Amino acid sequence: MKKKRVLLITFLTIIAFLFLFAACAKKEETKVTREKAQTYTCPMHPQIVKNGPGTCPICGMDLVPFEKNNAQDFLILGASQQALANLRTMKVGENEFSNSSRLNGRLVTDPEQTVYVSSRVAGRIEVLYVKETGVPIRKGQPLYKIYSEQLSSLQQEYLVAAAQVSSFPEDKRFNQMKTAAKQKLLLYGQSEAQLSDLVKKQKVSPYVTYFAPNSGIIAELSVTEGQYVGEGGSIMKLEDYDRLWVEADVYPSDAHKIKTGQKVQVIVSGYEDQPQVMRVDFINPALQTSKQIMQLRGTIPNPSNQWQAGLQAVVLLPSSGQKNVLALPVDAVIRDGNGAHVWIEAEKGKYQPRMVTLGVETFDEVEITDGLKNGETVVVSGAYLLYSEFILKKGKNPMEGMKM
């Protein structure tokens, strides 16, 4: 009897030991499984995901483990976190969406408002009354004084002819000589007032002052004081900026959307709040050899010279196909290898990713054809920060396993 009791105790001890061993083994296996499930990422590059510790192949930083709470498919952010991430949301609604084409353009000087001042006679520039560019000039303002013996001879000829007419007013030949001498001086840029003063003073002078034929801005100076110039030699260039040309590049595929006389919208860089309406005056029918593009041109007013030639501009070609659709700002959509998605604010401070299907896209907006409903609240600023935060905390792509 005593022997049977010893065998029973021994048997129960063995059974207990086996159960204890199995429990320890199971616990160790669970621990190993958890360690194997732990993933690591780079704090600076959340797209780097590895199953074990190591260093980032991009920046070399040590990888850090993800948070354990990987099962949730949403993020919870407090008010301070939302402010730090600069999150902005909007309610989705159907609005008029126009697939307008944007053409890159620029402001250039209108050649019709450019005046080239050239020397009427050969001579030496004695005085330049304007010695720098960018200076505004009024019509009739003195520009330069020139020394010309040729003009002095023509003045003397005119005085002789005028004296002959004064002595013999009925002689047609003397009158014709006076008219011819006067015409020569007028063609050389002398004014009626200068000729009257010449007859009054009866004194010729090789120094003649020339005045501005138009108002404008000195855009270019071609001479210096003391320089000799020939007849027709360039002196300076005057430009008026009350009107400016807009030249825009047109791809051949967009050529059918525009025609001469059509009105388009122009947005000058830095003045997006002041769109201008422009009439298309000219479309170059030939392609530029180096760029394989066409050019259109129009004119816009430039009050108070607020715009300068050389500024970038955008020309919007209207599209006939306008419709009411769900549309979002381009920055609200995150694109990756799994598709496109947006972030929905399901509740206050709770953000969930949502895969969407995109339609027509412009420079500013993109049409959403599937995945969103009218009235839902979507993150339009800070969406990429939510995307990075999700990868960093959850250890997976927010679109992983999702299907439309």
Side-chain angles (χ1 to χ4, degrees):
M1 187 68 182
K2 187 176 181 180
K3 185 177 181 181
K4 289 182 179 180
R5 185 179 297 176
V6 172
L7 290 174
L8 180 60
I9 293 174
T10 303
F11 177 74
L12 293 176
T13 303
I14 293 173
I15 294 298
F17 178 77
L18 290 176
F19 274 108
L20 182 62
F21 180 79
C24 291
K26 186 175 182 180
K27 185 177 181 180
E28 187 68 22
E29 183 181 356
T30 303
K31 182 179 180 181
V32 172
T33 303
R34 287 181 179 176
E35 288 181 354
K36 289 183 178 179
Q38 178 66 62
T39 53
Y40 295 79
T41 186
C42 174
M44 297 300 295
H45 303 92
Q47 70 270 25
I48 303 299
V49 179
K50 291 188 176 182
N51 293 327
T55 57
C56 175
I58 299 177
C59 64
M61 291 182 64
D62 291 336
L63 301 182
V64 297
F66 287 115
E67 292 184 0
K68 296 179 180 180
N69 189 16
N70 293 334
Q72 296 176 341
D73 62 347
F74 58 86
L75 290 174
I76 301 293
L77 298 181
S80 59
Q81 292 174 310
Q82 296 174 33
L84 187 63
N86 191 28
L87 294 184
R88 289 191 298 106
T89 60
M90 65 171 285
K91 282 195 174 182
V92 180
E94 290 191 352
N95 296 308
E96 189 177 82
F97 184 82
S98 175
N99 182 22
S100 58
S101 299
R102 299 172 66 96
L103 307 180
N104 293 324
R106 66 213 63 86
L107 303 184
V108 297
T109 305
D110 185 353
E112 295 180 357
Q113 300 209 115
T114 300
V115 176
Y116 292 90
V117 178
S118 56
S119 178
R120 295 294 186 90
V121 295
R124 183 179 69 246
I125 302 296
E126 287 295 315
V127 179
L128 269 177
Y129 294 104
V130 182
K131 297 181 175 66
E132 57 184 334
T133 59
V135 178
I137 295 297
R138 299 184 308 275
K139 183 178 181 179
Q141 180 177 337
L143 295 181
Y144 65 97
K145 181 190 289 185
I146 192 170
Y147 170 82
S148 174
E149 295 181 356
Q150 181 182 3
L151 271 179
S152 180
S153 299
L154 291 175
Q155 290 173 0
Q156 185 63 47
E157 180 182 335
Y158 177 66
L159 287 178
V160 171
Q164 290 174 334
V165 170
S166 179
S167 301
F168 306 97
E170 302 299 329
D171 194 312
K172 293 183 178 180
R173 188 166 60 88
F174 288 155
N175 278 284
Q176 290 175 350
M177 292 174 61
K178 179 184 176 182
T179 301
K182 180 180 180 180
Q183 190 63 29
K184 286 181 182 179
L185 291 173
L186 291 175
L187 290 175
Y188 278 112
Q190 298 288 278
S191 64
E192 290 281 358
Q194 287 175 313
L195 295 183
S196 298
D197 188 62
L198 174 64
V199 173
K200 181 179 179 180
K201 293 181 178 179
Q202 291 290 307
K203 183 179 179 182
V204 299
S205 173
Y207 299 99
V208 182
T209 300
Y210 284 90
F211 302 88
N214 291 86
S215 298
I217 305 294
I218 300 293
E220 183 180 313
L221 276 173
S222 305
V223 297
T224 58
E225 288 185 349
Q227 180 178 337
Y228 281 85
V229 293
E231 184 175 343
S234 177
I235 302 294
M236 63 183 66
K237 182 171 71 172
L238 300 178
E239 291 181 345
D240 194 346
Y241 304 122
D242 290 340
R243 299 193 315 268
L244 291 174
W245 272 5
V246 178
E247 290 183 346
D249 301 328
V250 183
Y251 290 98
S253 58
D254 291 329
H256 67 282
K257 299 180 182 179
I258 194 72
K259 59 182 179 180
T260 304
Q262 182 177 348
K263 290 186 178 181
V264 297
Q265 193 175 55
V266 177
I267 300 177
V268 181
S269 178
Y271 298 87
E272 287 77 9
D273 59 333
Q274 302 178 34
Q276 303 291 311
V277 177
M278 181 186 77
R279 179 180 178 273
V280 178
D281 296 327
F282 175 75
I283 301 176
N284 195 334
L287 295 177
Q288 295 184 11
T289 306
S290 58
K291 299 181 180 179
Q292 291 297 299
I293 56 177
M294 303 168 63
Q295 276 193 339
L296 65 81
R297 186 175 69 232
T299 304
I300 60 173
N302 185 25
S304 304
N305 292 342
Q306 67 172 340
W307 298 321
Q308 297 78 38
L311 278 175
Q312 296 298 309
V314 173
V315 176
L316 300 179
L317 295 184
S319 173
S320 57
Q322 293 186 344
K323 54 184 179 179
N324 290 332
V325 299
L326 294 178
L328 290 175
V330 174
D331 293 339
V333 180
I334 303 296
R335 298 171 173 87
D336 57 19
N338 296 313
H341 73 275
V342 298
W343 285 84
I344 307 296
E345 188 179 33
E347 301 173 7
K348 187 64 176 177
K350 180 180 178 180
Y351 302 94
Q352 288 180 302
R354 176 85 60 80
M355 184 169 280
V356 294
T357 301
L358 307 182
V360 179
E361 184 173 348
T362 66
F363 187 81
D364 298 315
E365 294 184 309
V366 58
E367 178 187 2
I368 307 299
T369 59
D370 196 9
L372 284 181
K373 295 180 181 178
N374 200 347
E376 289 189 298
T377 303
V378 179
V379 176
V380 295
S381 175
Y384 186 77
L385 291 176
L386 291 176
Y387 172 72
S388 302
E389 182 74 5
F390 190 94
I391 294 179
L392 186 62
K393 286 187 174 182
K394 310 298 181 182
K396 58 183 179 180
N397 191 299
M399 292 295 100
E400 189 174 312
M402 283 195 179
K403 294 183 180 179
M404 285 301 299

